[in-house]
Amino acid sequence: MPDPTADDPDEAAREATRYQLRFQSLFDAGRAYAFPCDAAGQVRMDGLGEHERNSYLYARALVGRDFAVPRVYARRRA
């Protein structure tokens, strides 16, 4: 099934604000990294700033060592 947001960058951006991909620390319950993503957990790296992008790559590289496998959460509405 084709992705309806593939041709609409605005829709993809709106989708990314509805969910977050969370990397929870394996050793410190209060430590985690979270990034905007779509419902499937796909992070739009071109939408991240340099610091955020580096943090995402860091957390992703340390899954199984310092961080649990990331999970997708629906973001709370303000």
Side-chain angles (χ1 to χ4, degrees), residues 45-69:
M45 292 189 53
D46 61 343
L48 300 177
E50 183 178 356
H51 179 74
E52 218 175 10
R53 186 173 43 255
N54 289 337
S55 294
Y56 171 70
L57 294 172
Y58 171 78
R60 195 172 76 174
L62 293 178
V63 167
R65 294 175 139 179
D66 289 340
F67 296 99
V69 173

Side-chain angles (χ1 to χ4, degrees), residues 1-77:
M1 178 177 209
D3 180 0
T5 64
D7 295 327
D8 185 354
D10 291 333
E11 179 57 29
R14 283 189 295 277
E15 173 91 7
T17 63
R18 295 182 196 140
Y19 300 94
Q20 70 177 1
L21 185 66
R22 185 175 175 87
F23 293 82
Q24 184 64 48
S25 171
L26 294 172
F27 306 106
D28 181 355
R31 182 171 172 239
Y33 286 97
F35 306 93
C37 68
D38 64 17
Q42 299 296 313
V43 174
R44 292 184 59 217
M45 292 189 53
D46 61 343
L48 300 177
E50 183 178 356
H51 179 74
E52 218 175 10
R53 186 173 43 255
N54 289 337
S55 294
Y56 171 70
L57 294 172
Y58 171 78
R60 195 172 76 174
L62 293 178
V63 167
R65 294 175 139 179
D66 289 340
F67 296 99
V69 173
R71 296 181 58 189
V72 176
Y73 292 92
R75 291 176 59 130
R76 295 182 185 149
R77 298 283 174 166

